[in-house]
Amino acid sequence: MRVRDAAVSLAFALTMACTALVSGGDDGTLECAVVDEVDPCPGDLQCVGGVCQDPMACRPMGVEICGNLVDDDCDGGVDEFTPETNEACDGADNDCDGNVDEGFDNDLDGWSACNFENPALVDCVDTNPDIHPFDEAEGGPLEECDGADNDCDFAVDEALDDGTRLCERGQGCFPDRGGCVFIDCRLPEVVCPPRHACDGSTEPAVCRLVMEDCTMDGCPTAGQRCDPLRLMCIDPLPLGAACDRDVQCASNHCFSTAALELSDSDTSGATNVCSLPCCSDADCPADAVCWAPGTGARACVLRSLLGMGSEGVPAAQACANDSQCTGDICGLVETSGYRDPEIFMTACRGSAGSGGRYQGCSRGGQCESGMCIETRFGGVCTTACGSADDCGDTVGATPACTYRYASGTSDADWVQVCDLTLFRSDDGEGCDNNRDCIDSACIDGRCARTCCRSDQCGTDRTCQPVSLNGRWEMHCVAPE
């Protein structure tokens, strides 16, 4: 039997056995078709391109397969560069140039639109060099309110990784309206939550809670106000009463008892009490004093409450500037009060030394106020302050009212004093940390000025004790 006839017979037998078409070609090859993933070719042959052949043999007009050490296209080269082959995003070197998945950076920003091993590093918009995964060295890109995934993290218009708001307090992200805009419940995109209604009497209009027996316009009984927690109209709570929100108090201020160092036993376990920020006793009702316990907080506290402590009402009268002292200055005083036998506070007193504000010093006794602080300009005498307005002007620096452990104090006594700063952001301007701000307080991404009364804060904020780095300070912030 001739070889060709034998091949045909073998092909017929394999076809019958494996239900795959195998027939003899005119050139002696075995033509094949794989059926049900079964290769019908005999021996070491494989069905490639419809023909049974040696897998190590080349194929004219074939495609070079990189890395298999075979001359796949019969051109005499093994795994050679094939520029006519397009690189695919598949984790392989398709064109045999030694590179894998190259050529996918159309916007030339250094980030590839293909990363087969780590999809988190894929440039999600390869036509815009400003959009790519976050680069630690570059510090960006940061997410913006524009309807795009600026940092390629598969999220759009989300808050920044450090928790910083994408928009300012009171604003919402509406890319179709130009980005961050103040939230107005009249916008079709804004839906008030349950039991809230859109109050158009303000600008912008805001969603307000609708109480059971009171409305956005107030309570039916004169003098009462809406309690957002009890969902009912209440009589305003007096100074010293337990509270949870500012609006519950007649003084419109609800302060932490921890900030004021008030004992649980004296406040019946309350964690917050109605109070009032103060610069001096003149800001308080007759039955209260301006209590400055050395924590950094200061507020009107009932004399009867302070009298419950072993030290009673402090003899020294708190102050925030010299104008509050008749014939004396507002300086550092060591006194006792309530439950603390040793408190350092700013109170009316005679001069401790001769050095005036911002004059050089090495110790507090050299200064009229008894306070000497270290600044970038060296040691200088300082004075008490309620806000930066109390600190006057100086050449070459910006006056500020910051918190310091003034000379003569211990780590438990934290007071407001005039300071000097350079090139810092003012009240209300954006910030990343406390060092960015004139008064060294960055709260919710905005600089907050130091204060001792709410009338120093404008109409949209109040003066409240704020915990910063584990210490209390009085700053202008949005009411709660």
Side-chain angles (χ1 to χ4, degrees):
M1 182 183 292
R2 291 181 301 174
V3 173
R4 184 175 185 279
D5 294 338
V8 171
S9 299
L10 176 60
F12 179 77
L14 290 171
T15 302
M16 297 301 293
C18 301
T19 66
L21 177 62
V22 180
S23 60
D26 293 336
D27 58 356
T29 61
L30 295 178
E31 298 175 357
C32 61
V34 176
V35 176
D36 295 332
E37 300 183 358
V38 176
D39 192 323
C41 297
D44 293 331
L45 300 182
Q46 294 181 4
C47 187
V48 180
V51 178
C52 290
Q53 58 180 300
D54 185 342
M56 298 300 291
C58 65
R59 288 175 286 124
M61 303 304 292
V63 176
E64 189 71 14
I65 300 175
C66 307
N68 65 354
L69 304 179
V70 174
D71 178 14
D72 303 282
D73 54 4
C74 301
D75 65 350
V78 175
D79 295 344
E80 75 276 13
F81 174 53
T82 55
E84 68 277 4
T85 302
N86 293 325
E87 189 73 12
C89 181
D90 57 4
D93 178 13
N94 305 101
D95 55 5
C96 302
D97 66 348
N99 299 310
V100 175
D101 296 343
E102 78 278 7
F104 289 90
D105 186 12
N106 293 321
D107 55 12
L108 304 178
D109 61 358
W111 294 83
S112 175
C114 172
N115 195 313
F116 196 75
E117 295 183 353
N118 192 348
L121 298 180
V122 170
D123 189 344
C124 56
V125 181
D126 200 28
T127 56
N128 186 341
D130 295 326
I131 296 180
H132 55 74
F134 184 82
D135 188 331
E136 293 286 349
E138 178 185 329
L142 299 177
E143 191 69 13
E144 299 177 13
C145 176
D146 56 5
D149 181 9
N150 305 95
D151 52 4
C152 296
D153 64 349
F154 308 105
V156 175
D157 297 340
E158 77 279 11
L160 303 184
D161 290 341
D162 62 359
T164 303
R165 291 185 176 93
L166 194 61
C167 299
E168 295 182 8
R169 179 186 291 272
Q171 290 186 331
C173 179
F174 299 97
D176 57 338
R177 295 183 180 274
C180 292
V181 298
F182 282 99
I183 298 175
D184 191 317
C185 54
R186 292 169 295 196
L187 297 175
E189 300 94 333
V190 179
V191 178
C192 289
R195 302 200 66 181
H196 287 68
C198 186
D199 181 4
S201 65
T202 62
E203 192 61 42
V206 295
C207 294
R208 296 192 187 280
L209 186 65
V210 178
M211 314 294 184
E212 291 182 354
D213 62 347
C214 57
T215 66
M216 294 174 292
D217 298 326
C219 295
T221 303
Q224 289 191 326
R225 57 181 57 185
C226 294
D227 186 329
L229 297 183
R230 301 180 190 176
L231 300 180
M232 59 184 295
C233 286
I234 63 168
D235 292 322
L237 300 175
L239 205 68
C243 57
D244 295 291
R245 294 288 188 275
D246 292 337
V247 70
Q248 297 170 328
C249 302
S251 62
N252 294 312
H253 292 85
C254 180
F255 286 178
S256 163
T257 55
L260 300 174
E261 281 199 340
L262 299 178
S263 171
D264 290 349
S265 60
D266 297 335
T267 60
S268 300
T271 57
N272 301 284
V273 293
C274 291
S275 192
L276 187 68
C278 57
C279 301
S280 68
D281 288 353
D283 299 320
C284 302
D287 59 351
V289 297
C290 188
W291 171 236
T295 61
R298 56 195 303 149
C300 296
V301 175
L302 293 173
R303 293 175 179 270
S304 58
L305 194 156
L306 294 177
M308 295 180 182
S310 57
E311 304 297 328
V313 179
Q317 297 180 351
C319 59
N321 58 56
D322 291 347
S323 66
Q324 295 160 1
C325 301
T326 304
D328 288 329
I329 65 167
C330 185
L332 190 67
V333 170
E334 181 180 356
T335 185
S336 61
Y338 188 46
R339 295 176 178 272
D340 194 338
E342 185 181 52
I343 300 174
F344 286 94
M345 60 186 291
T346 53
C348 296
R349 54 162 291 171
S351 297
S354 59
R357 184 166 55 212
Y358 304 142
Q359 292 184 351
C361 62
S362 59
R363 55 186 176 83
Q366 298 172 331
C367 305
E368 290 180 337
S369 65
M371 297 184 291
C372 176
I373 62 172
E374 281 298 320
T375 71
R376 63 185 304 159
F377 307 100
V380 298
C381 292
T382 186
T383 56
C385 59
S387 72
D389 296 337
D390 297 326
C391 297
D393 296 323
T394 185
V395 178
T398 302
C401 184
T402 64
Y403 275 80
R404 291 294 196 96
Y405 293 122
S407 176
T409 67
S410 68
D411 283 351
D413 299 282
W414 192 233
V415 296
Q416 296 170 222
V417 297
C418 291
D419 201 348
L420 297 174
T421 61
L422 287 175
F423 312 118
R424 292 190 179 184
S425 300
D426 207 347
D427 180 47
E429 296 180 351
C431 56
D432 294 321
N433 55 64
N434 294 337
R435 294 188 300 274
D436 293 339
C437 303
I438 290 178
D439 284 353
S440 300
C442 180
I443 301 173
D444 291 335
R446 288 289 178 270
C447 291
R449 75 180 322 214
T450 302
C451 58
C452 57
R453 289 195 312 265
S454 286
D455 60 6
Q456 298 166 333
C457 299
T459 58
D460 59 338
R461 295 179 298 169
T462 61
C463 187
Q464 299 186 44
V466 179
S467 179
L468 291 178
N469 300 321
R471 297 172 298 203
W472 293 97
E473 298 182 6
M474 300 295 292
H475 292 290
C476 296
V477 295
E480 294 185 355

